[in-house]
Amino acid sequence: MATTSLTYRLGWKARRARAMAQLASHRLRRRTRGCAFGAGSVLVMPPSGPGSLGDQAMLQVMIEELRRRGAPAIGLLQYGRNSRWEGLGPLVEEFDILSALEDDWDSRWQAARAMGRFDHFMSLGADVLDGAYSDIYSAQRSELVDLASQTGAKTRIVGFSCNAHPGERSVLALRKLPGEVRMMARDAVSLGRLQALLPGRPLDLVADLAFLLRPDPAGPIAKDVIARIQGHRLQGRCVLGVNINLANFPDYGPDRVEGIRDGFVRFLKALLRSEGQQVSVLLIPHDIRPDAVPGKMSDDQIAIEVFERLDADVKAICEVVPMPCPAEQIKAIAGELDLVVTGRMHLAIAALGQATPALALTYQGKFDGLFQHFSLEGLVIEPNAIFDAESTVAKIRRLLGAREELRTRIAKSLPRVHHLAGENFSGYGRAAPSGPSEESPTEASA
């Protein structure tokens, strides 16, 4: 056993030494001959594999904006053979980083080779660098950012947030990043937290990349759903979007699914039968990964279960957006609604990006910073408030009464928010106009 352990340790040290030598070789080659894919080439690290519409929105904007700014070549890091991003247009290289995320120095050596071919390395930080989901996983992602910087690539972390209680290992990994790595916080609350955790570190304030996603009302699902929304409105009804995200509930587990599901059924019944302006509801899933939360139930699965348990009179004025539905079509749908009640931050971003007010079921302290971009307060509730149906319905009724005023305030802030979202690319390529891309959402995947 001792001999085996010693052999493993020596082998690990040899693999690490090989990786370090490879890094030195890449730096020397870059200084003397430049990178293989040329000046301006970019290797992109997404936050995860496909399934989250928020991640899709950010990644799609990233790729389209890089092309619009003249990137001669774009590569993408992938998360395994069965979890690959598709439909992003031509990519010069794709590299699987699952093994490299762990302390596998052979895989990190291969990752360093891929990183060394590009002039820039851009990591979509989102909410995966503060340890909220996994302290080890977040730290490993930051270690790959460090690795990219060590190859000599111009490295940045774009649009990421930091919760109120980040993981110890995640913070340490962020502190170890070289000073030349640019770090961009996607809201003022996260910026303040990061400034306290990383004193003296230069940090940029930006907005989430998804604000730049162009809506697609002509897409087949959006076109059908928007027609149904308009049908409800012809009946004199307001139309609310509602997202159910089981991960909002910190004590969630398979044994609690029934209680959470029944709580949403009671809430929808109370809302749709309450006095005042008649209301219809559109249930909007925004993450279709079956393993997005413990218990393996995605947004679309729980939405269907809730819908099926509604009484006939309530079900008649409730709809479910069919999945899969691309993020740009969800954004178009959100623009037709009077209010969105959501447990997913990127559905709130889709709504706000269309000047539609959003009421958020908060988690990880993310929504306060988002709403600060619009100088909005009072639009956050604790997830368990949904089970106090009477109180939550009353709040929704008040927001519906103020929806036009809220729309006006949101719309006035959007040019500044679009500008901040564009700042994720500051210093890269030719400047592009702020705001959602003029490129058709389908052109990048043609």
Side-chain angles (χ1 to χ4, degrees):
M1 179 68 75
T3 302
T4 302
S5 177
L6 177 60
T7 301
Y8 173 80
R9 289 199 303 272
L10 290 174
W12 183 89
K13 289 181 178 179
R15 290 191 293 273
R16 185 179 187 279
R18 183 188 184 198
M20 292 298 101
Q22 180 70 20
L23 288 174
S25 173
H26 280 306
R27 288 194 295 270
L28 177 61
R29 186 182 302 115
R30 189 184 294 272
R31 285 196 299 268
T32 57
R33 288 183 286 172
C35 55
F37 291 118
S41 58
V42 185
L43 182 60
V44 175
M45 181 161 71
S48 68
S52 160
L53 272 66
D55 289 352
Q56 181 226 320
M58 291 185 291
L59 181 58
Q60 185 168 315
V61 168
M62 168 72 84
I63 299 299
E64 290 179 0
E65 191 71 8
L66 288 174
R67 289 196 177 110
R68 193 158 65 131
R69 287 173 176 254
I74 301 172
L76 186 68
L77 298 182
Q78 298 275 16
Y79 291 88
R81 185 175 301 172
N82 299 319
S83 186
R84 302 184 66 80
W85 289 100
E86 305 288 353
L88 295 169
L91 301 166
V92 297
E93 184 167 66
E94 298 178 64
F95 182 81
D96 185 352
I97 57 166
L98 277 181
S99 297
L101 279 169
E102 302 173 359
D103 290 331
D104 182 337
W105 281 101
D106 284 335
S107 296
R108 291 199 175 187
W109 173 70
Q110 295 293 335
R113 290 186 62 192
M115 294 166 176
R117 299 187 184 106
F118 292 86
D119 190 21
H120 295 259
F121 181 86
M122 298 188 184
S123 170
L124 280 160
D127 59 355
V128 295
L129 293 180
D130 59 5
Y133 301 114
S134 165
D135 197 23
I136 293 175
Y137 177 73
S138 293
Q140 289 168 337
R141 292 183 62 84
S142 292
E143 288 167 5
L144 283 187
V145 172
D146 187 10
L147 185 67
S149 179
Q150 290 186 55
T151 69
K154 303 176 187 74
T155 304
R156 68 177 69 190
I157 302 172
V158 304
F160 76 110
S161 54
C162 181
N163 71 64
H165 304 286
E168 183 177 347
R169 184 168 171 177
S170 301
V171 173
L172 182 60
L174 289 172
R175 286 174 178 165
K176 287 182 176 179
L177 290 176
E180 57 266 25
V181 174
R182 293 189 64 182
M183 300 173 66
M184 300 172 168
R186 62 183 175 182
D187 62 78
V189 173
S190 292
L191 180 66
R193 291 169 180 162
L194 289 166
Q195 286 171 334
L197 293 168
L198 311 172
R201 174 89 196 203
L203 297 161
D204 297 319
L205 175 64
V206 298
D208 195 283
L209 280 174
F211 277 111
L212 298 179
L213 182 71
R214 185 183 177 211
D216 179 20
I221 296 176
K223 192 173 182 179
D224 176 63
V225 172
I226 289 171
R228 285 186 274 155
I229 291 171
Q230 292 170 345
H232 286 284
R233 192 160 280 125
L234 285 173
Q235 300 173 19
R237 297 181 176 277
C238 290
V239 185
L240 269 66
V242 175
N243 166 263
I244 306 172
N245 170 17
L246 291 176
N248 284 141
F249 302 90
D251 54 350
Y252 165 74
D255 57 325
R256 279 212 63 199
V257 172
E258 185 175 351
I260 296 171
R261 180 194 63 209
D262 292 346
F264 272 96
V265 169
R266 289 191 298 272
F267 159 68
L268 290 174
K269 287 180 179 180
L271 173 64
L272 294 172
R273 289 171 174 165
S274 60
E275 295 182 358
Q277 169 74 57
Q278 290 184 313
V279 174
S280 295
V281 163
L282 182 67
L283 296 177
I284 309 177
H286 213 252
D287 195 313
I288 60 174
R289 293 172 292 184
D291 58 349
V293 292
K296 300 185 182 299
M297 182 171 285
S298 59
D299 287 10
D300 54 324
Q301 291 170 325
I302 188 64
I304 291 170
E305 287 205 5
V306 167
F307 178 79
E308 289 176 345
R309 283 163 176 75
L310 296 174
D311 297 334
D313 65 315
V314 175
K315 193 178 290 186
I317 49 177
C318 187
E319 313 256 3
V320 182
V321 176
M323 289 287 128
C325 178
E328 62 270 22
Q329 293 189 44
I330 291 291
K331 185 169 184 176
I333 291 167
E336 299 293 325
L337 299 171
D338 294 289
L339 177 71
V340 168
V341 181
T342 177
R344 295 281 180 190
M345 190 183 78
H346 275 98
L347 180 54
I349 288 174
L352 294 168
Q354 295 285 77
T356 297
L359 176 65
L361 279 65
T362 189
Y363 64 105
Q364 296 181 22
K366 289 199 287 189
F367 284 100
D368 290 335
L370 170 64
F371 286 124
Q372 273 194 21
H373 280 305
F374 298 88
S375 301
L376 295 173
E377 296 180 348
L379 295 177
V380 173
I381 59 174
E382 292 298 321
N384 285 331
I386 210 75
F387 304 129
D388 182 0
E390 183 178 349
S391 175
T392 303
V393 167
K395 185 175 186 66
I396 287 172
R397 290 278 180 196
R398 289 193 296 272
L399 291 175
L400 283 174
R403 64 186 182 277
E404 293 307 321
E405 177 191 349
L406 289 169
R407 274 191 181 278
T408 300
R409 291 176 60 186
I410 294 167
K412 285 182 179 179
S413 297
L414 276 175
R416 182 179 57 82
V417 174
H418 288 153
H419 172 76
L420 284 174
E423 286 296 291
N424 283 287
F425 300 96
S426 64
Y428 175 82
R430 59 176 181 266
S434 297
S437 171
E438 294 302 319
E439 178 184 12
S440 166
T442 57
E443 284 177 5
S445 57

